[in-house]
């Protein structure tokens, strides 16, 4: 059964829809034909009952008007002509005696029927059903009439529904033929209609098949698309935009990574070539090794940061959440960078307090990267403020420093990998610190933003770590 289901699912959608539509139509036609067939059958039974009860009432009236019974018995052929159906049955019987009149050419065995009393009208509800030996249905009724001499005559009438049965059989075959014809015609028309109406889907599939990595900027056309496909086209185009953005970012990342690694590798090769060109003193070799060690450490940090970003982008394990004392955490980071800050005459100030639900190690790394960035680029003899607060129920940690203004176009790209506002400073950092901050905030379900407020004489740069409320995190 599962194999048939899989084959059915793999069948053309146009063919499946046409077949299902034809089946539904066939069921509707069958239901309508069945209703009409049953209505016709009930009408024939009703007319047969009227015929049977009408004959009993007729003979009752005749005999109740002092019509001689002997005269009726003497003209039995007249009854056969009156019945009009060679299969119908008419029996006159004095109770307790042999039948006086018995018109029964088909030798039909009548079922037992309780006769209607002479003083009661002959109702349709008194008619009973039966069946001949050949399986033909019949309608039977019986009534009593009191004769002039005081005797009671029982009149039994039966109508054999031979013609009705033949007519119903012909009608049934016509219904079956109509259902089969309706199925075939509607299936063919449905297939044609579905193929015609699915042309926009085939056009969309052709457009999608033509998209390659080099043409990710192409978008599916919404022109003349039906309403049901417009949402799909919009979603598909949005997916293409995300893929194009990710592809461009990956391309740029690969180029930047190659450039970043080529610089220290080139420096190492150049220094080694110069050292090998001629013999050097021990002190010169030591200086060369020390310089090479610095470049290798830079490469090592870069590789470590890239691996961290790769793990953060595909994080599978849960973070080690704890409740952190924000005043203590801010002060710990400030104490760590105090020596570097004093070299440039910068003061680190911590403000605010509270509790934060986060991974301690990742939080320290994110905050340290922001403070390191602030110490590196802030104006000398300025202040760096580490502030904690709340905003709409969310915990916000801010790092504020004074420095050169950053244009809005750069603020949106600060957290991209290897992005630098000033390319001339490429030798001082790998360009991955702020990207790591964004990755850490993504793991926490939070956000990171950068703002620049132009002031005199220097602008105020604000980096904000926005953590979700603890209830939101638990719900997630």
């Amino acid at each position: 059964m599962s194999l048939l289901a899989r084959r059915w699912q793999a069948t053309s959608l146009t063919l499946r829809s046409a077949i299902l539509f034809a089946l539904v139509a066939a069921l509707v036609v069958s239901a309508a034909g069945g209703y009409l067939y049953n209505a016709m059958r009930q009408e024939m039974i009703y007319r047969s009952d009227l015929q049977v009860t009408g004959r009993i009432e007729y003979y009752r009236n005749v005999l109740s008007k002092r019509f001689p019974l002997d005269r009726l018995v003497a003209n039995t052929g007249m009854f056969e002509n009156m019945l009009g159906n060679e299969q119908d049955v008419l029996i006159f019987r004095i109770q307790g005696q042999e039948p006086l009149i018995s018109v029964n050419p088909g030798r039909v065995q009548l079922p037992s029927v309780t006769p209607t009393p002479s003083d009661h009208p002959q109702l349709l509800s008194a008619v009973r059903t039966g069946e001949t030996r050949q399986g033909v249905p019949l309608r039977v009724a019986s009534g009593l009439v009191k004769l002039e001499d005081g005797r009671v005559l029982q009149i039994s009438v039966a109508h054999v529904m031979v013609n009705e049965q033949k007519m119903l059989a012909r009608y049934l075959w016509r219904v079956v033929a109509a259902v089969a014809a309706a199925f075939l015609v509607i299936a063919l028309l449905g297939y044609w209609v579905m193929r015609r109406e699915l042309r926009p889907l085939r056009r969309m599939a052709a457009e999608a098949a033509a998209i390659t990595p080099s043409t990710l900027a192409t978008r599916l056309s919404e022109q003349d698309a039906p309403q049901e496909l417009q949402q799909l086209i919009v979603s598909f185009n949005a997916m293409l935009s995300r893929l194009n953005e990710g592809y461009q970012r990956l391309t740029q990342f690969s180029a930047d990574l190659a450039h970043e690694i080529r610089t220290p590798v080139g420096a190492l090769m150049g220094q080694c070539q110069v050292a090998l060109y001629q013999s050097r003193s021990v002190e010169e070799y030591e200086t060369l090794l020390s310089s090479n060690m610095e470049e290798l450490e830079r490469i090592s940090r870069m590789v470590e940061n890239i691996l961290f970003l790769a793990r953060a982008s595909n994080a599978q394990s849960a973070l080690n959440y704890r409740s952190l004392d924000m005043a203590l955490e801010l002060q710990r980071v400030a104490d760590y960078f105090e020596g570097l800050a004093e070299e440039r005459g910068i003061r680190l100030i911590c403000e605010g307090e509270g509790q934060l639900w986060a991974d301690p190690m990742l939080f320290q790394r994110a905050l340290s990267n922001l403070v390191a960035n602030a110490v590196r680029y802030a104006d000398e003899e300025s202040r760096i403020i580490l502030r904690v607060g709340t905003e709409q129920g969310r915990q916000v940690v801010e790092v504020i420093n004074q420095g050169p203004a950053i244009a809005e176009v750069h603020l949106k790209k600060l957290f991209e990998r290897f992005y630098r506002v000033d390319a001339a400073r490429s030798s001082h950092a790998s360009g991955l610190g702020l990207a790591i901050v964004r990755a850490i905030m993504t793991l926490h379900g939070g956000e990171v933003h950068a703002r620049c407020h132009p002031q005199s004489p220097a602008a105020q740069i604000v980096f904000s770590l926005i953590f979700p409320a603890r209830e939101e995190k638990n719900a997630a």
Side-chain angles (χ1 to χ4, degrees):
M1 189 64 182
S2 59
L3 179 60
L4 293 176
R6 288 196 298 270
R7 288 183 177 179
W8 171 256
Q9 293 295 329
T11 308
S12 165
L13 180 61
T14 302
L15 181 59
R16 283 162 48 193
S17 301
I19 292 176
L20 291 176
F21 185 70
L23 284 175
V24 171
L27 288 176
V28 172
V29 174
S30 299
Y35 171 78
L36 294 176
Y37 177 86
N38 187 63
M40 179 180 288
R41 179 175 173 273
Q42 293 299 325
E43 181 65 20
M44 288 181 176
I45 292 175
Y46 175 72
R47 290 178 179 274
S48 297
D49 292 349
L50 286 177
Q51 182 179 350
V52 169
T53 57
R55 286 174 180 172
I56 293 177
E57 285 295 328
Y58 172 76
Y59 291 118
R60 270 183 165 186
N61 291 332
V62 169
L63 295 173
S64 66
K65 294 179 181 180
R66 300 181 180 181
F67 192 89
L69 180 61
D70 297 339
R71 186 176 177 182
L72 288 176
V73 174
N75 295 279
T76 56
M78 176 184 66
F79 297 105
E80 296 180 2
N81 296 330
M82 292 177 63
L83 292 177
N85 187 333
E86 61 181 14
Q87 297 292 330
D88 284 359
V89 178
L90 176 63
I91 299 175
F92 285 8
R93 179 197 304 271
I94 299 295
Q95 289 186 332
Q97 299 180 12
E98 291 296 321
L100 299 175
I101 298 174
S102 179
V103 180
N104 189 2
R107 302 291 187 272
V108 176
Q109 184 69 34
L110 298 182
S112 176
V113 179
T114 302
T116 304
S118 59
D119 56 346
H120 286 70
Q122 189 70 34
L123 302 177
L124 293 178
S125 58
V127 180
R128 296 293 179 263
T129 186
E131 191 175 273
T132 66
R133 289 189 297 271
Q134 292 77 23
V136 180
L138 55 87
R139 304 297 292 176
V140 183
S142 181
L144 300 178
V145 58
K146 192 173 183 180
L147 300 177
E148 185 179 9
D149 57 6
R151 292 181 299 173
V152 177
L153 179 68
Q154 180 179 349
I155 305 173
S156 299
V157 178
H159 174 67
V160 182
M161 302 178 66
V162 176
N163 295 331
E164 291 85 351
Q165 188 181 46
K166 292 180 179 178
M167 183 181 296
L168 287 173
R170 290 195 298 269
Y171 183 78
L172 180 61
W173 280 110
R174 290 179 181 179
V175 170
V176 172
V179 171
F183 177 82
L184 292 176
V185 172
I186 294 175
L188 294 175
L189 291 177
Y191 185 83
W192 176 77
V193 170
M194 288 296 297
R195 279 193 60 84
R196 183 178 181 277
E197 294 302 318
L198 287 179
R199 283 185 299 183
L201 186 60
R202 292 195 295 272
R203 185 183 66 230
M204 187 177 73
E207 292 177 355
I211 297 176
T212 63
S214 60
T215 59
L216 285 176
T218 305
R219 296 294 177 265
L220 300 184
S221 174
E222 298 182 39
Q223 185 178 3
D224 300 329
Q227 185 176 0
E228 291 78 6
L229 291 181
Q230 286 182 358
Q231 184 60 40
L232 176 62
I233 293 174
V234 170
S235 301
F236 192 84
N237 286 339
M239 181 191 69
L240 286 177
S241 297
R242 294 191 297 271
L243 287 175
N244 186 39
E245 181 182 353
Y247 185 77
Q248 296 298 331
R249 189 179 301 168
L250 180 61
T251 303
Q252 185 63 39
F253 173 74
S254 301
D256 293 339
L257 179 62
H259 175 75
E260 293 292 334
I261 294 180
R262 182 180 60 183
T263 300
V265 169
L268 288 172
M269 292 178 61
Q271 293 174 7
C272 291
Q273 288 173 353
V274 171
L276 294 174
Y277 183 73
Q278 60 183 5
S279 299
R280 306 287 180 174
S281 63
V282 175
E283 291 78 7
E284 289 175 330
Y285 281 124
E286 289 179 350
T287 302
L288 174 64
L289 291 176
S290 177
S291 176
N292 289 351
M293 190 63 186
E294 292 179 1
E295 295 296 336
L296 290 173
E297 288 177 351
R298 179 184 173 189
I299 295 176
S300 177
R301 287 194 300 271
M302 186 184 304
V303 171
E304 180 185 353
N305 290 336
I306 292 173
L307 289 176
F308 176 83
L309 289 173
R311 288 193 297 268
S313 300
N314 300 278
Q316 299 294 330
S317 59
L319 301 182
N320 183 24
Y321 282 98
R322 293 182 185 177
S323 181
L324 306 179
D325 186 335
M326 294 307 299
L328 180 61
E329 297 296 331
L330 295 186
Q331 190 60 50
R332 183 179 299 170
V333 174
D335 292 341
Y336 181 81
F337 287 96
E338 185 176 5
L340 292 176
E342 287 181 351
E343 292 180 2
R344 304 190 63 220
I346 297 175
R347 289 190 302 141
L348 296 174
I349 302 173
C350 299
E351 297 179 356
E353 58 183 14
Q355 298 293 320
L356 177 66
W357 188 250
D359 185 293
M361 294 183 61
L362 294 182
F363 172 75
Q364 287 286 341
R365 184 164 189 174
L367 184 59
S368 298
N369 285 1
L370 291 181
V371 174
N373 183 78
V375 171
R376 184 178 298 115
Y377 297 116
D379 292 339
E380 295 183 357
E381 305 298 331
S382 63
R383 300 186 307 168
I384 296 178
I385 301 175
L386 282 65
R387 179 184 299 163
V388 63
T390 58
E391 177 183 312
Q392 299 178 351
R394 299 182 297 177
Q395 291 282 69
V396 180
V397 180
E398 295 180 333
V399 177
I400 307 170
N401 66 277
Q402 304 289 331
I406 302 177
E408 185 69 23
V409 65
H410 296 301
L411 288 174
K412 298 179 180 180
K413 300 180 179 180
L414 284 178
F415 300 98
E416 296 181 4
R417 301 174 184 181
F418 296 116
Y419 186 82
R420 300 182 185 87
V421 176
D422 187 359
R425 299 181 177 180
S426 61
S427 60
H428 301 292
S430 66
L432 295 174
L434 296 183
I436 290 175
V437 174
R438 183 173 66 177
I440 292 174
M441 293 308 299
T442 300
L443 289 176
H444 283 82
E447 305 171 7
V448 57
H449 299 297
R451 305 190 306 273
C452 179
H453 304 291
Q455 296 179 354
S456 181
Q460 184 183 69
I461 315 298
V462 182
F463 289 91
S464 301
L465 302 178
I466 305 176
F467 290 84
R470 183 170 179 177
E471 293 76 12
E472 299 176 4
K473 189 64 184 176
N474 290 341

